[in-house]
Amino acid sequence: MTTNELYFEAERLERKLHGASLETRLALQPSVTKVIERMRAQGMSVPSRFRRLDAALIEDAVEAQFDNMPI
């Protein structure tokens, strides 16, 4: 993917996540992380809003793992 394509893909995912359910957020989290990793690998500067989105999604995924642990 070109740098423009990666940026547009990140924006597309951001739009899909806006107001999305937890299930959708968990399902899209790996895709967001991969796009950001590819942006970094190509030497792109990753906008802070994408970094914050990725961090929030990762936090959701970690919390979801603990929500499903038996006590």
Side-chain angles (χ1 to χ4, degrees):
M1 278 187 172
T2 67
T3 56
N4 282 340
E5 289 172 330
L6 285 171
Y7 187 84
F8 291 134
E9 178 64 13
E11 283 186 326
R12 184 187 70 78
L13 289 166
E14 182 182 41
R15 284 190 303 274
K16 285 180 85 169
L17 288 161
H18 183 72
S21 68
L22 180 60
E23 286 182 32
T24 300
R25 291 176 63 83
L26 293 175
L28 292 177
Q29 181 271 318
S31 298
V32 172
T33 298
K34 285 179 187 176
V35 168
I36 289 174
E37 287 173 354
R38 290 181 74 182
M39 290 172 85
R40 287 186 178 128
Q42 290 191 15
M44 292 178 67
S45 175
V46 179
S48 61
R49 74 179 203 264
F50 294 148
R51 291 192 312 265
R52 285 190 307 268
L53 176 62
D54 188 41
L57 292 171
I58 290 169
E59 185 176 317
D60 287 346
V62 170
E63 286 181 18
Q65 287 178 337
F66 286 105
D67 287 344
N68 293 325
M69 292 183 94
I71 296 178

